Amino acid sequence: MTRKTQGGTIQLADTYMFRTYSRFPITLVKGQGCRVWDEEGKEYLDFVGGIAVCALGHSSPLVGEVLERQSRELVHVSNLYYTRPQVDLARLLVENSFGDRVFFCNSGAEANEAAIKLARRYARERHGEGRHNIVSMKDSFHGRTMATLSATGQEKVRTGYDPLLQGFKFVSFNDLEGLENAIDDSVCAVMLEPIQGEGGVVCPKNGFLGGVREICSAKGLLLIFDEVQVGMGRTGKLFAHEHYGITPDIMTLAKALGNGLPIGAMIAKEELSDAFGPGSHATTFGGTPLVTGVATAVLSSILHDGWLDNCREMGRYFREELLKLKEKYPFIKEVRGLGLIIGMELDRPGKPIVDACMEKGFLINCTQERVLRFMPPLIIGKGEISSLVRALDEIFGGTT
Ligand SMILES: *Cc1c(COP(=O)(O)O)cnc(C)c1O
């Protein structure tokens, strides 16, 4: 009976929806903390966390409480009017970041879209025509809108959509010389993820981000950090760039900001304020009282309920445990990451491992075909991590 229902959902999806996603053949119906359940009642420990979204876990009581209260009070009125939750969230973001001003939207792609528009407009107002190019990184990921896929340095994201938006150049991540060579009078900004998430949890080498900051400052370029995936506490600090002692001029956020409610934010320094004056950019839904009310509670909780400490501690433990597996299994090439975004690079495809984990009741992710990626909720505990590591050990033991 239940099997029939589950097949039903998958069949219906196949009939009525675009097949844009190659999904796993399970239908999830319930979540609680770091666990989710499928239609057949099978339980999974979730190390994907909605792709680094559910920082406070599933069915967070905090989120539920704000959702309930705010949905009875005011859900949406448009940005023709002021609403308090939006302003409270903007203030909290500014008070806890390098930034001075915030623009709200609905997704990571939209936040990056706003950043790209702001950079171009600022450059035009400040330097006149011709300074519109943005240098981005190979293997980056910035979203799926036309502008953000044009900014993305991965062929598989761009293919079939020509002509793309003009004005993006690509250099290798961790290559300061390449970056320097790519900069000329046509460039207005450098855009990158402090740690490349979709690119395979690629971390910056010592001095890379500092070097990028120096180049940008010396040449009068804006530095844009896409923290859509690694922001909001994922690395054990509120924003990933805090680990490197530098600040960008513009930063984008989304994923964990609403713990599952759709919200994006673009944050920038005061000097960019005038480039985004009245009428320059807008969105109908961006920053509704409902979503910003939830995001304010999420941000406060990440800041004040000890989740950053937990993230650092659990991340350290998790990496140590995975490194022990690396000692044991030569097909593990590298374990890398910061806080609770961890990549384990294999010398072979990761899909069979992901499938075997699912069979054993663990959701994990694989990116770039060979990098197992772990992004559990920040509330994860040691027992949950060690049970995954035990499962991986058994699976790896069976595959060699
Ligand atoms: C997920 C992601 C995006 C796109 O966010 P959407 O909400 O899917 O539009 C952009 N940049 C990075 C680094 C991401 O991880």
Side-chain angles (χ1 to χ4, degrees):
M1 176 64 198
T2 45
R3 164 133 341 248
K4 200 172 152 211
T5 321
Q6 176 171 333
T9 301
I10 294 170
Q11 237 170 338
L12 288 169
D14 211 37
T15 306
Y16 293 111
M17 298 179 71
F18 275 104
R19 298 189 193 97
T20 47
Y21 306 102
S22 41
R23 299 188 212 247
F24 293 96
I26 58 171
T27 301
L28 297 175
V29 294
K30 192 171 124 72
Q32 182 82 63
C34 297
R35 292 177 155 72
V36 291
W37 287 265
D38 71 14
E39 267 192 334
E40 297 182 328
K42 179 169 174 177
E43 182 178 306
Y44 303 86
L45 256 181
D46 184 5
F47 285 81
V48 179
I51 315 187
V53 166
C54 305
L56 302 179
H58 299 281
S59 308
S60 153
L62 183 75
V63 169
E65 191 189 302
V66 181
L67 259 181
E68 203 180 333
R69 175 165 42 82
Q70 192 60 47
S71 68
R72 276 197 300 259
E73 231 159 73
L74 192 67
V75 171
H76 170 87
V77 289
S78 91
N79 285 306
L80 295 172
Y81 314 99
Y82 294 97
T83 60
R84 189 72 198 198
Q86 188 178 90
V87 183
D88 287 341
L89 178 59
R91 180 177 178 180
L92 198 57
L93 283 168
V94 164
E95 285 177 350
N96 288 283
S97 74
F98 70 93
D100 302 300
R101 297 202 175 260
V102 183
F103 178 86
F104 290 117
C105 50
N106 312 289
S107 68
E110 270 184 79
N112 287 329
E113 191 84 26
I116 292 163
K117 286 179 74 174
L118 177 61
R120 279 195 172 176
R121 202 169 158 113
Y122 173 79
R124 176 172 293 241
E125 283 180 7
R126 188 159 174 146
H127 307 290
E129 301 263 336
R131 199 154 160 175
H132 54 260
N133 285 332
I134 294 176
V135 179
S136 171
M137 302 291 135
K138 291 177 186 161
D139 297 324
S140 58
F141 183 78
H142 298 299
R144 300 285 195 153
T145 62
M146 281 308 297
T148 57
L149 75 83
S150 301
T152 291
Q154 296 191 59
E155 235 4 81
K156 65 178 186 215
V157 174
R158 301 155 61 91
T159 193
Y161 296 114
D162 290 321
L164 302 188
L165 189 70
Q166 289 176 13
F168 296 94
K169 300 193 206 185
F170 297 93
V171 301
S172 295
F173 195 74
N174 278 326
D175 178 9
L176 281 177
E177 212 183 298
L179 175 63
E180 208 140 16
N181 291 337
I183 290 165
D184 57 26
D185 287 345
S186 72
V187 174
C188 66
V190 176
M191 179 171 188
L192 75 168
E193 303 151 83
I195 296 172
Q196 292 187 326
E198 300 307 305
V201 192
V202 180
C203 299
K205 287 205 180 107
N206 262 345
F208 176 64
L209 293 181
V212 174
R213 176 70 270 182
E214 269 175 34
I215 291 171
C216 287
S217 299
K219 307 209 170 180
L221 311 180
L222 295 170
L223 177 55
I224 304 170
F225 277 165
D226 177 346
E227 294 232 12
V228 166
Q229 184 160 148
V230 294
M232 296 306 293
R234 178 55 43 191
T235 63
K237 290 188 186 279
L238 188 58
F239 305 117
H241 68 260
E242 293 173 26
H243 290 278
Y244 306 97
I246 48 144
T247 58
D249 302 295
I250 302 174
M251 171 173 71
T252 54
L253 297 174
K255 291 203 163 83
L257 181 53
N259 205 64
L261 270 77
I263 178 170
M266 189 272 296
I267 303 170
K269 288 183 179 164
E270 181 62 30
E271 65 165 315
L272 289 133
S273 172
D274 289 345
F276 254 14
S280 56
H281 191 47
T283 152
T284 300
F285 290 123
T288 65
L290 183 74
V291 173
T292 49
V294 168
T296 303
V298 170
L299 176 53
S300 306
S301 179
I302 289 174
L303 282 169
H304 304 302
D305 294 341
W307 301 127
L308 295 174
D309 289 338
N310 190 65
C311 175
R312 282 195 292 268
E313 206 177 308
M314 291 305 122
R316 207 176 303 122
Y317 172 70
F318 202 166
R319 278 194 307 281
E320 279 166 12
E321 292 298 298
L322 293 176
L323 281 167
K324 286 183 199 161
L325 294 182
K326 179 176 177 287
E327 291 303 300
K328 213 166 149 185
Y329 301 105
F331 55 83
I332 300 173
K333 287 174 73 179
E334 197 180 20
V335 174
R336 53 186 185 243
L338 199 55
L340 285 169
I341 176 162
I342 301 176
M344 177 186 251
E345 185 172 346
L346 310 177
D347 70 359
R348 58 192 67 181
K351 175 84 163 68
I353 308 292
V354 175
D355 291 344
C357 279
M358 181 171 285
E359 193 62 37
K360 282 179 176 286
F362 297 91
L363 302 184
I364 67 165
N365 174 257
C366 177
T367 183
Q368 300 295 315
E369 294 190 357
R370 288 163 181 235
V371 182
L372 301 180
R373 183 172 48 163
F374 309 98
M375 307 160 285
L378 306 184
I379 61 172
I380 194 107
K382 259 191 180 176
E384 292 156 325
I385 292 169
S386 60
S387 68
L388 170 69
V389 172
R390 257 196 318 276
L392 283 171
D393 197 0
E394 286 165 19
I395 293 164
F396 288 157
T399 58
T400 40

